[in-house]
């Protein structure tokens, strides 16, 4: 068989059926067969400028020999073969042809008698990310790129891509395709075998599924929530919700969750090599096809035209940097930072910039501590393998009306990754992690505030109002910076590399000078030992000092009138 028969020779679209603009109304129509031929040519011949290495051909051959039936393709490389727009506008059609072309090229390269499994095409893209709250109907059946935090991960399950059915009466067998991630296969009501004249027909619904002859792939379901720092002020975080089946409904008492009406929901499905790659708390950019399906659970209550959206993932871009979610700097910003570093008394200037509206002699050391906390330290790994954290924990304990909550609000706004919570409304599950169960008994692992703030700061106000068992739950997260989970058959360790800034009131509401510090502080030594700096903030009753504070408050209020 020649290369022409294999479709391995690249030729101009004008010589192919449907390629002449003059014959189809001025539109260059590319059929799936033509696209598959172009994809084969792309994998075989693509190479960089001034390079003699056929990048994707070598990568495909290397992966297949290692038993990895997948290849990652940069979307911008398809532009040189005129395939980028096809994949972006109609990914559901042309990605299937891309995988067929990759499997065909793999068979030609490996030259083995063993059957090569389906090759999975994963994409990486440099296109602009779309915020989750901006997804709408115009993005259906297109390629989208969504950033966020993985807050829930389900177990890997097998999913049938091809189902073999067999007639109970005449043993007629046939294979049915199941391409949709959440789509169901419609079983024929009548036997499809050709009957001779006079031969008795098979009864209705004669087919049964033969599991041994079905083809399966691994699938996993996840939940992606937008990053806390990207949520507009005054709005609730929204998440791309993932379920293992289209009629599942999650139920949980965790305070980090909300009702179904509060969040925008869409299903997310990752299969084959994309499964088991994410854990709760990881920051990721998901690239996939925004599609819809008819939810049988909702079809009884609404019209058939109401569709449930979901995202079929075809690529993950993980944030593997040391500080997840840290924004990158432009060359101009780097130059400004270098110029700023050369200024004298830089430390004092940074300290003066910490909450400038809060004045007082007692705030100087607090602002210095907050400045050091925001910059953070360097984590150390000792020769024996022991790890020392580089994040600082701070506790502000003292009288009311001294600005403790304002300091926490300032830290939450300034920090690139900041989560603010109140001790009264937080539980151990909301701060660390929880295992939730849906109506069908499926367990999901969901990260709490300290997992979502990995690489940032967690601000806990009213720390003394927390229950004692909830404070004990964050001991490991504060010192070891990990959260161990062993519930419902799920055993994992989540990262919580974050600083903790807390504020609390004394036992008697105000600090009593006639009692010792141990009597005023109602905390166990186990939790106090986790804090690196503890500030006892007192509201000293002094007329001169009170006048100065009142004058400062009036000046702050007066200056706001001119802005």
């Amino acid at each position: 068989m020649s290369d022409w028969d294999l479709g391995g020779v690249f030729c101009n679209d004008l010589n192919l059926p449907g390629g002449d603009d003059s014959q189809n109304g001025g539109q260059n129509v590319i059929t799936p067969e033509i696209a598959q031929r172009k994809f084969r040519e792309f994998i075989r011949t693509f190479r960089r400028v001034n390079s003699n290495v056929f990048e994707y051909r070598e990568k495909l051959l290397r992966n297949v020999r290692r038993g990895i039936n997948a290849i990652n393709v940069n979307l911008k490389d398809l532009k040189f073969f005129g395939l980028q727009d096809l994949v972006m506008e109609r990914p559901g059609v042309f990605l299937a042809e891309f995988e067929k072309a990759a499997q065909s090229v793999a068979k030609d390269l490996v030259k083995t008698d063993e059957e090569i499994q389906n090759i999975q095409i994963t994409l990486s893209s440099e296109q602009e990310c779309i915020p989750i709250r901006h997804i709408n109907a115009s993005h259906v059946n297109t390629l989208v790129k969504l950033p966020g935090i993985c807050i829930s991960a389900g177990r890997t399950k097998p999913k049938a891509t091809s189902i073999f059915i067999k007639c109970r009466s005449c043993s007629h067998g046939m294979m049915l395709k199941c391409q949709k991630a959440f789509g169901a296969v419609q079983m024929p009501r009548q036997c499809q075998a050709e009957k001779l004249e006079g031969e008795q027909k098979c009864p209705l619904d004669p087919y049964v599924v033969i599991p041994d002859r079905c083809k399966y792939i691994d699938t996993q379901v996840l939940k992606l929530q937008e990053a806390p720092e990207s949520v507009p002020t005054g709005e609730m975080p929204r998440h791309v919700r993932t379920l293992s089946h289209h009629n599942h409904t999650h139920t949980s008492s965790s305070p980090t969750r909300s009702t179904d009406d509060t969040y925008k929901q869409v299903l997310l499905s990752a299969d084959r090599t994309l499964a088991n790659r994410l854990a709760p708390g990881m920051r990721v950019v998901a690239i996939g096809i925004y599609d819809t399906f008819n939810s049988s659970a909702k079809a009884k209550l609404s019209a058939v035209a109401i569709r449930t959206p979901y995202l079929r993932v075809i690529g993950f871009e993980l944030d593997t940097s040391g500080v997840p979610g840290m924004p990158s700097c432009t060359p101009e910003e780097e130059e400004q930072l270098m110029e700023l570093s050369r200024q004298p008394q830089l430390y004092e200037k940074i300290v003066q910039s910490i909450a400038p509206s809060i004045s007082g002699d007692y705030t100087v050391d607090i602002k210095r501590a907050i400045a050091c906390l925001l910059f953070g330290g360097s984590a150390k790994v000792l020769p024996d393998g022991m790890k020392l954290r580089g994040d600082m924990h701070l506790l502000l304990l003292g009288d009311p009306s001294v600005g403790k909550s304002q300091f926490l609000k300032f830290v939450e706004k300034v920090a690139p990754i900041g989560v603010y919570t109140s001790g009264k409304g937080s539980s151990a599950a909301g701060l660390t992690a929880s295992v939730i169960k849906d109506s069908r008994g499926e367990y999901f692992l969901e990260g709490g505030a300290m997992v979502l703030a990995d690489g940032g700061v967690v601000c806990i106000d009213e720390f003394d109002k927390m229950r004692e068992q909830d404070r004990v739950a964050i001991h490991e997260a504060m010192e070891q910076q990990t959260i161990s989970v062993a519930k419902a058959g799920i055993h994992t360790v989540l990262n919580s590399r974050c600083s903790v800034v807390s504020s609390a009131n004394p036992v008697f509401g105000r600090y009593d000078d006639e009692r010792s510090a141990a009597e005023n502080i109602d905390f166990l030594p186990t939790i106090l030992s986790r804090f690196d700096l503890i500030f006892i903030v007192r509201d000293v009753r002094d007329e001169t000092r009170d006048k100065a504070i009142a004058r400062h408050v009036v000046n702050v209020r007066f200056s706001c009138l001119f802005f």
Side-chain angles (χ1 to χ4, degrees):
M1 186 178 292
S2 64
D3 287 342
W4 287 103
D5 297 326
L6 292 173
V9 177
F10 178 79
C11 53
N12 197 315
D13 289 342
L14 297 178
N15 299 327
L16 296 173
D20 191 359
D21 292 352
S22 62
Q23 296 180 3
N24 48 61
Q27 295 182 354
N28 190 5
V29 179
I30 298 181
T31 62
E33 293 78 10
I34 298 175
Q36 185 179 151
R37 194 175 303 176
K38 284 190 171 185
F39 283 126
R40 284 172 54 90
E41 187 68 18
F42 166 77
I43 296 175
R44 286 185 172 187
T45 63
F46 178 82
R47 58 182 180 181
R48 305 288 178 185
V49 180
N50 299 327
S51 175
N52 295 325
V53 178
F54 296 98
E55 181 177 340
Y56 291 109
R57 186 175 71 181
E58 297 297 330
K59 185 186 299 184
L60 178 62
L61 180 60
R62 183 171 60 252
N63 289 352
V64 171
R65 287 177 175 174
R66 293 178 179 177
I68 304 174
N69 296 321
I71 179 174
N72 183 266
V73 178
N74 196 324
L75 194 60
K76 69 176 183 180
D77 295 338
L78 296 172
K79 178 177 61 176
F80 302 102
F81 286 74
L83 300 171
Q84 183 180 14
D85 294 337
L86 297 179
V87 174
M88 293 186 64
E89 295 174 1
R90 299 179 60 192
V93 175
F94 292 105
L95 275 178
E97 301 299 327
F98 202 171
E99 293 184 350
K100 292 178 182 178
Q103 185 176 6
S104 177
V105 174
K107 290 181 179 178
D108 297 340
L109 294 176
V110 177
K111 298 186 182 297
T112 178
D113 296 335
E114 298 180 1
E115 182 181 359
I116 297 179
Q117 301 294 331
N118 293 334
I119 304 296
Q120 182 182 15
I121 298 295
T122 60
L123 295 180
S124 59
S125 173
E126 298 179 1
Q127 68 184 93
E128 185 178 357
C129 294
I130 302 176
I132 293 177
R133 59 182 64 240
H134 292 168
I135 293 291
N136 51 41
S138 63
H139 297 98
V140 176
N141 295 327
T142 60
L143 204 65
V144 295
K145 187 176 180 182
L146 303 178
I149 304 175
C150 176
I151 64 172
S152 178
R155 297 179 181 177
T156 302
K157 289 185 175 181
K159 175 188 174 296
T161 56
S162 298
I163 298 176
F164 185 82
I165 59 177
K166 186 176 182 180
C167 180
R168 290 190 295 259
S169 300
C170 63
S171 300
H172 174 262
M174 59 186 301
M175 191 75 74
L176 299 179
K177 296 289 186 180
C178 183
Q179 301 293 346
K180 290 270 187 175
F182 296 96
V185 177
Q186 187 68 31
M187 300 279 286
R189 298 295 307 275
Q190 297 179 353
C191 182
Q192 303 297 314
E194 297 182 0
K195 302 294 184 181
L196 300 177
E197 293 184 4
E199 190 174 356
Q200 185 178 2
K201 293 184 178 180
C202 298
L204 287 177
D205 299 325
Y207 287 104
V208 293
V209 179
I210 309 299
D212 295 342
R213 302 186 62 179
C214 299
K215 297 181 179 179
Y216 302 92
I217 59 174
D218 293 330
T219 61
Q220 188 189 21
V221 290
L222 308 162
K223 184 190 296 182
L224 192 71
Q225 177 178 289
E226 58 186 342
E229 63 270 13
S230 63
V231 179
T233 304
E235 297 192 25
M236 293 291 294
R238 302 192 179 186
H239 61 266
V240 172
R241 188 175 175 192
T242 64
L243 305 173
S244 59
H245 196 268
H246 54 268
N247 59 357
H248 282 202
T249 303
H250 286 262
T251 58
S252 173
S253 59
S254 173
T256 60
R257 297 177 56 84
S258 182
T259 59
D260 292 346
D261 297 334
T262 304
Y263 294 101
K264 179 180 179 182
Q265 301 176 8
V266 7
L267 302 177
L268 198 77
S269 174
D271 55 21
R272 291 179 279 181
T273 59
L274 297 177
N276 283 333
R277 290 185 55 184
L278 297 184
M282 297 180 64
R283 292 179 177 254
V284 66
V285 176
I287 304 172
I289 304 172
Y290 191 69
D291 204 349
T292 62
F293 72 96
N294 187 17
S295 176
S296 60
K298 298 181 180 180
K300 300 177 182 179
L301 304 176
S302 60
V304 180
I306 302 300
R307 311 287 290 183
T308 301
Y310 76 98
L311 188 75
R312 181 162 66 92
V313 179
I314 56 176
F316 281 130
E317 295 180 5
L318 302 179
D319 190 349
T320 57
S321 60
V323 181
M326 186 64 66
S328 58
C329 298
T330 62
E332 293 78 9
E333 293 174 342
E334 290 183 3
E335 185 176 353
Q336 293 178 1
L337 291 175
M338 293 298 296
E339 183 179 353
L340 182 65
S341 64
R342 301 186 186 97
Q343 296 183 6
Q345 304 295 327
L346 177 61
Y347 176 57
E348 296 299 331
K349 293 181 180 179
I350 294 176
V351 170
Q352 294 174 4
S353 302
I354 301 295
S357 60
I358 303 177
S359 177
D361 297 337
Y362 69 96
T363 64
V364 177
D365 291 335
I366 296 177
K367 292 182 178 181
R368 290 175 179 173
I370 291 177
C372 296
L373 181 142
L374 290 174
F375 279 88
S378 300
K380 299 289 191 302
V381 179
L382 302 182
D384 59 352
M386 181 179 295
K387 296 181 180 180
L388 302 179
R389 58 181 172 88
D391 298 305
M392 182 190 304
H393 301 319
L394 174 64
L395 174 63
L396 301 178
L397 190 143
D399 299 333
S401 71
V402 292
K404 300 190 300 295
S405 297
Q406 293 298 327
F407 275 122
L408 266 63
K409 282 292 186 180
F410 178 84
V411 172
E412 187 260 341
K413 291 181 180 180
V414 171
I417 303 174
V419 177
Y420 182 90
T421 181
S422 176
K424 185 65 176 178
S426 301
S427 65
L431 289 174
T432 56
S434 60
V435 177
I436 59 177
K437 183 175 69 172
D438 60 10
S439 60
R440 297 179 62 91
E442 179 72 18
Y443 287 95
F444 291 90
L445 181 64
E446 185 168 304
M450 301 190 74
V451 176
L452 301 183
D454 186 25
V457 181
V458 174
C459 302
I460 306 176
D461 202 356
E462 305 292 343
F463 194 64
D464 57 306
K465 305 300 189 299
M466 292 180 61
R467 294 178 299 178
E468 188 62 36
Q469 55 267 33
D470 295 335
R471 284 201 293 262
V472 172
I474 65 175
H475 285 179
E476 179 190 0
M478 293 182 64
E479 185 60 36
Q480 306 299 329
Q481 296 195 319
T482 58
I483 296 174
S484 302
V485 178
K487 296 179 181 179
I490 299 177
H491 303 271
T492 184
V493 177
L494 306 177
N495 290 323
S496 59
R497 299 162 294 185
C498 59
S499 300
V500 177
V501 183
S502 303
S503 66
N505 294 326
V507 179
F508 308 101
R510 298 184 64 91
Y511 195 87
D512 192 349
D513 297 335
E514 298 181 357
R515 299 177 184 267
S516 63
E519 293 175 336
N520 282 278
I521 302 175
D522 188 20
F523 292 137
L524 295 176
T526 53
I527 191 66
L528 288 178
S529 63
R530 263 73 179 178
F531 288 101
D532 303 287
L533 291 175
I534 301 176
F535 288 93
I536 297 179
V537 189
R538 300 171 55 196
D539 185 9
V540 181
R541 299 174 183 176
D542 180 59
E543 182 179 359
T544 305
R545 183 185 180 192
D546 291 343
K547 286 183 178 180
I549 294 176
R551 189 179 300 107
H552 173 75
V553 172
V554 171
N555 291 335
V556 170
R557 295 283 184 176
F558 185 74
S559 61
C560 294
L561 299 176
F562 298 95
F563 291 97

